[in-house]
């Protein structure tokens, strides 16, 4: 067999080393609420040291929650010239709505084949899988096959506002040959998904102020209405058929490479299961378009209204003409776009179409990123996955549909970035009863051990 | 002089009969909260009886809050063949926001030249003015010049859902030659405004359900978005230039008569003061159109977005694709339209334009109404106003821009309807510190006395 360790060995190791797993999950490191972040960062540093590694808390920039750096040197039989960098985060989403949890959210609970706890999939369980893999390799005859570094941040769930500054500042410390990303796991078909990039984000507050006060709606005959202004401005940005019609928008889009197109063609997609999961009432917006849902998810930028608010929204009637109207606009960006370019295009489009009164503020930005799929590292990661998970059970995506702070790793460290996690399609990430399957966890550790060995 | 009484006589009468005025205003008859309605109805009936009238509580239909009917026969020198019907309401708006009141809302307070209390303008003070006028006429040599009836409802502030049923049921009891309406008073220029009609209302909940759950916005690449559906549906109903583009909408509109056009041409309009009152940030929507603001207010239907709600509307970002989106749509209708016709057109338009998924529910309806301005009663009311308030200080409008349950009075009683009140431009109706000016109150009583005498 090609795996370095068996599932049984993994299972034994985890069973004999449950305490840090339980204690790590018990820490309520909710970044958006500022809970137990310092404590959890110190706990992570402690785990690194307990495994014989070097640990450092980084917290000198921008008043951020601390990041934890870890370093483990390659063993006697390993390659000290080769370094892998793991990216993880120790912060989690809030546990609300608490009433929907079937077990205490900050108590690692085994429920049949599942492990349940807040953060078990996103992202504490993944960090633990990496630490267990590390321990298994340390205990092997040759020791660690390569140098291993960790950068574990505490602000991922609030948009990683400071990580780029830290990567730039600590570029020498973090220097590596390759970076293995956090997140993901198996899709609805049970295939392991390997992701070589992320989409960027440009998220805006958009609003119109029409008057100092709400006005009786009988004045609608003469008084302009902030809600109408907002509706018309929004409608000018995108067609009902999902085409973004901001002037010049698609000109920025980088054409996917041949390799990327090839890879996306192989991504499976099950429309019916997609609809069932969310109870979708409408056809997919790619119906009738000349690209597939998979191409849409990977290659196309999106423009989502995430929120609308104006005037009276309670039960029944209130005959009011609202003084103000607001929207939240969420752009997902692919290579070619930056949030600031999108902001410029959006402002110019609104001005050009008579909506100078519609105000915008860029709230969050993340740059898009795709690793070069021709990089040899990509082949190693994919081939190892095919060995461990089985050929035909591995899906490679040039980038995920979601976001993450991947861009800075390329920009400041110049490493290929790629990765997967130990979750599955029903991990309920960010939701109550977040879980992973024990089998996926063990298999993920086997994969990590095997991959690290391959990188030697 | 042409007035039947002097301001001094009125002042003396009011000063000597303050108790019912104070007690009536002290009753917290907030219909939308169901407070003290029965008690207030009984108080009104008691005031009628104390003035020697006949009173009846009407509460046998539709589980409504009670209406109060009052009857006063013409005196010995009066015309018992002529009957005037006064429409009023004893219910008031909630006093919230309480912190903004400078005096207790349910305590009639004199503040300089003002009388302040919830309902003092809308509409308890107006009913009191009518009762004081009645008393003055009763005490005059000839007694009451005509029969006087009252219908005072307790549901005006919640849209008068039951008054048509009562008028139909009690058409014989309420039979009259003319009806004098509630509401209004002096405009920003100090002119008294006489209104011969109202606009109708059709108020809708409009919503789109897109999914069973809010979805991560990365799915915006393939999942249709309830907020986008709503925005596009709304944008299809009205242009940014205020033209309602619901298929066939303007076909229903009744052309104003020559007389109505003539009358509207004389209505003053001060754009700058209009903008200053509300702090308007945009030009009036009639700018650049081929009709005037006055014509818009009187002759044109309107379509106002009164509310918008979807997804995340808090501070900062939440990257969500909303499962649902809602709007409140407020149509103001002129003669030719009914709410049910508008509902049909709206449904047909949405279906026709691919928005079958956009759901609508008619929440409130009021039929529009305009009294025939050629009716001799209109001349008497206007001429009397000119005598009391001075020629050049009287504005006649074929209908107000606002609504009210006027339609049933024409339909079931077949009477011309017209009226004015004792308020002024800054009465702050429905708002904190609702007030009237003492002088307007006295002058209003003089006007009522003079008008009733003219109708003999």
């Amino acid at each position: 067999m090609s795996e370095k360790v068996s599932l049984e060995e993994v299972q034994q190791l985890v069973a004999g080393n449950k305490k840090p797993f339980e204690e790590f999950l018990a820490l309520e490191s909710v970044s958006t609420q500022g809970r137990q972040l310092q404590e959890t960062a110190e706990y992570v540093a402690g785990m690194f040291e307990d495994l014989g590694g070097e640990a450092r808390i980084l917290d000198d920039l921008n008043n951020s929650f601390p990041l934890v750096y870890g370093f483990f040197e390659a063993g006697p039989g390993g390659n000290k010239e080769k370094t892998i960098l793991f990216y993880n985060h120790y912060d989690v989403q809030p546990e609300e709505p608490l009433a929907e949890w079937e077990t205490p959210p900050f108590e690692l609970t085994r429920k049949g084949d599942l492990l349940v706890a807040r953060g078990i999939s996103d992202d504490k369980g993944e960090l633990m899988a990496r630490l267990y893999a590390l321990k298994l390799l340390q205990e092997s005859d040759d020791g660690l096959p390569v140098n291993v570094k960790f950068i574990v941040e505490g602000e991922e769930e609030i948009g990683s506002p400071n990580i780029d500054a830290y990567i730039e500042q600590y570029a020498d410390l973090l220097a590596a040959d390759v970076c293995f990303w956090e997140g993901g796991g198996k899709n609805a078909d049970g295939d392991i998904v390997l992701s070589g990039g992320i989409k960027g984000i440009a998220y805006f507050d958009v609003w119109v102020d029409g008057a100092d006060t709400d006005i009786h709606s009988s004045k609608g005959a003469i008084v302009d209405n902030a809600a109408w202004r907002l509706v018309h401005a929004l409608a000018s940005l995108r067609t009902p058929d999902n085409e973004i019609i901001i002037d010049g928008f698609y000109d920025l889009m980088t054409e996917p490479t041949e390799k990327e197109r090839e890879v996306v063609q192989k991504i499976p997609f099950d429309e019916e299961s997609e609809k069932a999961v969310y109870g979708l009432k409408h056809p997919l917006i790619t119906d009738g378009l000349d690209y597939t849902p998979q191409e849409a998810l990977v290659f196309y930028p999106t423009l989502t209204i995430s929120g609308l608010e104006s005037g009276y929204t309670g039960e029944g009637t209130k005959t009011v003409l609202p003084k103000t109207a607001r929207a939240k606009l969420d752009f997902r960006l692919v290579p070619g776009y930056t949030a600031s370019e999108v902001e410029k295009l959006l402002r110019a489009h609104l001005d050009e179409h008579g909506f100078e009164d519609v105000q915008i503020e860029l709230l969050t930005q993340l740059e898009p990123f795709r690793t070069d799929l021709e990089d040899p590292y990509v082949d190693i990661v994919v081939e190892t996955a095919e060995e461990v998970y089985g050929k035909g059970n591995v899906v490679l995506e040039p980038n995920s549909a979601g976001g993450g702070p991947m861009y800075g790793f390329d920009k400041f460290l110049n490493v290929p970035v790629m990765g997967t996690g130990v979750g599955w399609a029903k991990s309920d990430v960010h939701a109550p009863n977040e879980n992973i399957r024990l089998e996926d966890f063990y298999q993920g550790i086997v994969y990590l051990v095997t991959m690290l060995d391959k990188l030697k």
Side-chain angles (χ1 to χ4, degrees), chain A residues 15 99 110 131 159 167 208 211 217 222 240-241 310 374 428 444:
Chain A
R110 176 153 176 188
L131 293 180
I167 305 174
V208 181
S217 60
I222 57 170
D241 295 333
S310 185
E374 309 286 355
D428 285 331

Side-chain angles (χ1 to χ4, degrees), chain A residues 3 6 10 19 23 26 38 59 67 69 94 104 117 147 173 187-188 211 224 232 250 255 283 314 318 351-352 370:
Chain A
E3 290 97 351
S6 68
V10 168
K19 200 166 154 248
E23 289 178 348
Q38 180 70 32
D59 59 2
L67 291 83
Y69 164 79
N147 301 319
L173 189 70
N187 65 16
D224 206 0
H232 284 297
Y250 288 115
E255 275 298 302
K318 188 174 178 188
D351 292 347
E352 183 71 25
R370 282 187 202 131

Side-chain angles (χ1 to χ4, degrees), chain A residues 284-440:
Chain A
L284 293 184
I285 54 177
T286 45
D287 276 19
L289 296 183
D290 58 359
Y291 48 90
T292 64
Q294 295 94 313
E295 287 172 322
L297 286 162
V298 175
F299 292 143
Y300 282 83
T302 66
L303 172 47
T304 296
I305 297 175
S306 285
L308 284 177
E309 185 177 40
S310 185
Y312 181 70
T313 56
E315 283 299 300
T317 64
K318 188 174 178 188
T319 52
V320 75
L321 190 154
K323 64 177 173 178
T324 186
R326 309 184 75 88
K328 305 273 185 189
L329 276 190
D330 172 305
F331 288 86
R332 299 291 170 145
L333 307 176
V334 296
Y337 295 87
T338 64
S340 58
E341 282 290 344
V342 170
E343 184 178 19
K344 268 185 222 156
L345 286 182
L346 179 58
R347 182 70 269 159
H349 172 96
L350 291 170
D351 292 347
E352 183 71 25
H353 290 77
F355 297 110
E356 295 91 346
D357 55 317
V358 177
Q359 301 180 68
I360 62 172
E361 185 188 348
L362 180 60
L363 295 181
T364 298
Q365 49 182 313
L366 270 180
E367 305 299 305
F369 175 70
R370 282 187 202 131
T371 282
D372 177 4
L373 294 184
E374 309 286 355
D375 193 289
Y377 170 56
V378 174
D379 290 338
I380 295 173
V381 167
V382 173
E383 282 161 21
T384 310
E386 286 174 344
E387 284 173 28
V388 174
Y389 293 97
K391 225 179 151 89
N393 298 329
V394 177
V395 172
L396 172 64
E397 53 181 29
N399 58 264
S400 74
M406 206 180 263
Y407 179 75
F409 288 77
D410 173 64
K411 181 168 178 192
F412 300 115
L413 304 182
N414 192 25
V415 279
V417 188
M418 158 148 262
T420 189
V422 293
W424 65 306
K426 295 186 181 172
S427 273
D428 285 331
V429 161
H430 294 201
N433 307 307
E434 180 175 349
N435 68 86
I436 57 175
R437 294 186 295 201
L438 260 176
E439 191 199 322
D440 295 334

Side-chain angles (χ1 to χ4, degrees), chain A residues 147-159:
Chain A
N147 301 319
V148 173
K149 291 180 178 177
F150 285 90
I151 183 74
V152 187
E153 72 157 319
E155 298 185 326
E156 199 273 346
E157 300 295 0
I158 53 171

